Amino acid sequence: MANAERNKKILLELVKQGDNSRCADCGAPDPEWASYVLGVFVCLNCSGTHRSLSSRVKSIKLDNWEDDWVENMRSKGNASVRALYEKAVPVYYYRPQQSDCAVLREQWIRAKYERKEFTGEMKYPPLAYTTGIYEGMLVKKGKENTRFLMRKFVLSDREFTLTYYNRENEAKGPKAVIPIKDLNATFQPEKIGHANGLQLTYQEEDHIRNLYVYHESAVEIVSWFNAIRAARYAYLKTAYPTGTDKELIPMITRNYLKEGYMEKTGPSRREPFKRRWFILDFQSRKLFYFNAKLDAEELGVIFIGTESNGYSVQEYVPKRTRGNKWNWGVAVETPDRQFIFMCENEREQKEWVDALKQVLSKIMSPQDYAKANAKHK
């Protein structure tokens, strides 16, 4: 009993020190679990994947620890283990955070400890990250319907393109050739309804185009994601030759700042409110709205500038509105007009206002000023 209490006290002191104070895999604060085989402190969510790897996970507060396990934790710890297992992570490889979806976090852990992809000792690293070309089958949602069908995709960082083909008509040539220049990839498991769901978005003439895809293999879909990141990184190094990795890495791919349904009316406010799916993109400073959440193309887009340029956002108390089912309002002011949106509840209202204010507080670039001159739809 004395040893158990002493060991618990040692572990609680160790977990406060340096890198140990955050999960070794996703960075979550105050981890309460540890793999005594690997010698790392991890959060509850990541501990589940470690259990499946048989890396002997225990609670540092609830379980009894043997002396040699504690000594292994003391001699290793998150920093030294990371130096070994993350020694050769490609600069473009996405390192999942606490808020990321399960498939990203699980495959990061498996890539590190199970497949040992980043120790620098692999003779043949994964092809997705090294060859400049990656191809395979993905299940894709139809543009005008809800059917998901198998399609062939080919990614090339030499041509900076992502091409896909209709499986039945592959001999007729590609269905679409997508430039890497404006391509974004983000995991959307809940939105797509599949644990491995990935949304691909790119610019097509004067609007954006969304592709919704998945693969039954978690390894394969994460490989596709990081292959796209590798190609995007290669493009950015060409487009911005003086850009540093610190500047370029955030531009490779991005999650959207906020998504969800709000009700929207027209500029005269005489039109009834209709429910629309909204996406707020922090990088482009644009608020897109769609008829439904899995639509291929947007109905419209609103540029969000800064307060000094005539933009503002605030909570809105509805007056004489027509057709709205929700009562928590958001008013977005632009130089052209005022937009009124209605949220389902107070929490959604606060989240939308806070997210829009984040964009408002972002300094505008010369490219942003050019976008601001474009007419709001």
Side-chain angles (χ1 to χ4, degrees), residues 97 208 249:
Q97 303 299 307
I208 63 165
I249 289 170

Side-chain angles (χ1 to χ4, degrees), residues 40-286:
V40 291
F41 293 92
V42 296
C43 69
L44 175 62
N45 287 335
C46 291
S47 72
T49 302
H50 279 275
R51 282 194 191 90
S52 69
L53 299 179
S54 300
S55 59
R56 304 293 190 274
V57 179
K58 284 189 172 292
S59 167
I60 62 176
K61 292 184 176 179
L62 303 177
D63 292 326
N64 290 326
W65 283 66
E66 295 182 11
D67 293 350
D68 56 338
W69 300 346
V70 174
E71 189 54 40
N72 195 44
M73 297 302 301
R74 193 189 336 235
S75 66
K76 293 181 179 177
N78 290 5
S80 63
V81 174
R82 186 176 290 125
L84 171 62
Y85 288 96
E86 298 181 24
K87 180 181 178 181
V89 180
V91 67
Y92 49 77
Y93 191 98
Y94 186 76
R95 297 169 180 257
Q97 303 299 307
Q98 178 185 6
S99 58
D100 283 312
C101 62
V103 67
L104 268 175
R105 288 186 282 106
E106 179 181 349
Q107 289 307 310
W108 167 238
I109 292 169
R110 290 188 178 278
K112 283 202 295 183
Y113 308 116
E114 185 178 57
R115 300 194 293 271
K116 297 182 175 60
E117 291 183 12
F118 313 123
T119 60
E121 299 172 359
M122 289 190 66
K123 210 168 186 179
Y124 304 104
L127 293 177
Y129 318 147
T130 58
T131 60
I133 190 165
Y134 196 63
E135 64 179 79
M137 307 301 291
L138 292 172
V139 186
K140 174 190 167 292
K141 177 186 173 296
K143 180 179 180 180
E144 306 294 344
N145 56 58
T146 58
R147 289 201 307 163
F148 280 82
L149 298 170
M150 196 74 75
R151 296 289 182 256
K152 180 180 178 181
F153 282 76
V154 179
L155 176 71
S156 171
D157 71 3
R158 296 186 184 93
E159 299 176 2
F160 297 133
T161 57
L162 176 66
T163 304
Y164 76 90
Y165 302 80
N166 281 346
R167 191 178 186 184
E168 311 86 45
N169 304 311
E170 190 175 327
K172 294 183 178 180
K175 180 70 175 176
V177 179
I178 301 164
I180 291 293
K181 176 179 178 290
D182 298 309
L183 181 64
N184 186 45
T186 179
F187 275 93
Q188 297 277 15
E190 293 183 9
K191 184 175 177 180
I192 294 173
H194 193 284
N196 301 336
L198 188 67
Q199 178 178 328
L200 306 175
T201 303
Y202 61 96
Q203 193 73 29
E204 188 177 70
E205 296 178 347
D206 61 346
H207 61 86
I208 63 165
R209 175 81 161 87
N210 291 321
L211 304 181
Y212 304 98
V213 301
Y214 67 83
H215 197 288
E216 292 297 342
S217 165
V219 176
E220 186 68 12
I221 198 66
V222 174
S223 291
W224 267 106
F225 178 62
N226 281 298
I228 289 170
R229 284 181 59 86
R232 280 278 301 156
Y233 178 70
Y235 164 77
L236 290 169
K237 292 292 282 185
T238 301
Y240 306 97
T242 61
T244 65
D245 284 345
K246 184 177 180 180
E247 295 168 329
L248 299 182
I249 289 170
M251 298 168 61
I252 298 177
T253 59
R254 61 196 182 276
N255 294 327
Y256 297 116
L257 191 57
K258 171 75 177 166
E259 292 191 59
Y261 281 112
M262 290 191 288
E263 293 179 329
K264 178 186 179 298
T265 186
S268 69
R269 300 190 202 170
R270 294 174 183 172
E271 301 91 340
F273 277 83
K274 295 180 180 179
R275 194 174 76 150
R276 299 289 186 245
W277 180 265
F278 286 80
I279 295 177
L280 180 59
D281 185 352
F282 181 81
Q283 184 167 302
S284 71
R285 310 187 70 107
K286 289 180 178 179

Side-chain angles (χ1 to χ4, degrees), residues 313-315 330 348-357:
V313 60
Q314 61 184 347
E315 295 177 2
V330 176
E348 278 291 301
Q349 179 196 46
K350 184 178 186 306
E351 288 182 3
W352 275 111
V353 169
D354 289 347
L356 287 160
K357 284 184 174 179

